[in-house]
Amino acid sequence: NKNEKTLVQCLNPVYGLKDPRWIIEYLNYHRAIGVSHVHVYNVDLHSKEMQDALQAFREEDFITRHDWSDKASGGYTTRKTYEHAKWAAQTDCALRTRGIYDFALFSDIDEVAVGPSGSKTKYPDGHLAPAIDMCQEAWKNRKKVACSFNSNTVSSIYTKLTEEEELAMKDKLLLERYNWIEAK
């Protein structure tokens, strides 16, 4: 649809993920809520399983992967603080995508974007299109060049579940499992 705005997600540098299920669910979730394309700044997702998962999304032209490792950057992205690598990735992504997409979303791997609920639009609850429409209106009416909307931080993705929690959540998606733990 020509009237729908495009949204690129600039995913801040990703460290430490070992299980490809998280990146698969994360990317599919964000695609389902309206993200058009994701730039992944990959610091250490170099296992075969992680590379296979990322390759599937590259083949669909849903992600662009940037090697943000110590070796590829000559230490630039890893010998300073995480914030140093994060700001460098955000700047890189903003420059690469400027003029290609209508909006950009900057987030960490443990932040799950959430669009409005109950908006009575053609989009399901949680979709980002109504939030993007609000951003577009802010630009047209007040010349605001930035806006924000909600995200849920799911920082427990690295948390080990207890045996009881693991059993209770075994049939849940990882996003549901760790969102449950975070809220507990």
Side-chain angles (χ1 to χ4, degrees):
N1 183 346
K2 282 186 171 185
N3 294 331
E4 288 187 24
K5 300 297 178 192
T6 57
L7 174 66
V8 65
Q9 182 174 3
C10 299
L11 188 57
N12 290 328
V14 181
Y15 300 84
L17 283 180
K18 305 288 185 237
D19 186 344
R21 292 180 305 163
W22 179 260
I23 197 83
I24 292 167
E25 284 183 27
Y26 184 90
L27 292 170
N28 280 325
Y29 168 81
H30 283 87
R31 177 176 16 209
I33 63 167
V35 171
S36 308
H37 192 82
V38 180
H39 282 259
V40 176
Y41 289 82
N42 179 359
V43 174
D44 64 0
L45 307 180
H46 302 291
S47 71
K48 178 171 178 7
E49 295 82 9
M50 292 302 292
Q51 289 305 310
D52 289 348
L54 293 173
Q55 182 60 32
F57 289 101
R58 280 196 302 270
E59 288 172 3
E60 298 170 347
D61 198 30
F62 184 65
I63 71 164
T64 300
R65 179 191 169 272
H66 305 284
D67 188 348
W68 221 240
S69 68
D70 184 64
K71 182 178 178 184
S73 71
Y76 181 79
T77 60
T78 57
R79 294 207 180 123
K80 303 275 183 189
T81 66
Y82 170 72
E83 293 301 316
H84 179 85
K86 177 179 170 177
W87 294 119
Q90 289 180 355
T91 301
D92 181 76
C93 190
L95 292 172
R96 287 177 190 268
T97 62
R98 185 175 64 188
I100 298 171
Y101 298 92
D102 297 304
F103 293 95
L105 167 66
F106 297 89
S107 65
D108 291 327
I109 191 73
D110 65 348
E111 294 170 349
V112 179
V114 181
S117 59
S119 60
K120 296 184 172 94
T121 66
K122 66 179 181 176
Y123 300 100
D125 281 354
H127 198 279
L128 296 176
I132 292 170
D133 290 343
M134 289 184 274
C135 292
Q136 182 69 28
E137 286 300 310
W139 165 246
K140 283 185 355 189
N141 297 333
R142 298 183 308 281
K143 299 299 181 218
K144 299 288 182 186
V145 295
C147 62
S148 64
F149 44 85
N150 292 335
S151 70
N152 289 340
T153 299
V154 189
S155 57
S156 298
I157 61 170
Y158 298 108
T159 303
K160 183 83 172 135
L161 299 176
T162 66
E163 245 180 79
E164 182 180 298
E165 291 166 335
E166 194 71 53
L167 187 60
M169 302 300 285
K170 72 181 176 71
D171 296 326
K172 301 287 185 187
L173 293 172
L174 294 175
L175 288 170
E176 293 173 307
R177 293 168 69 163
Y178 291 105
N179 200 27
W180 175 80
I181 288 298
E182 190 72 17
K184 187 169 131 180

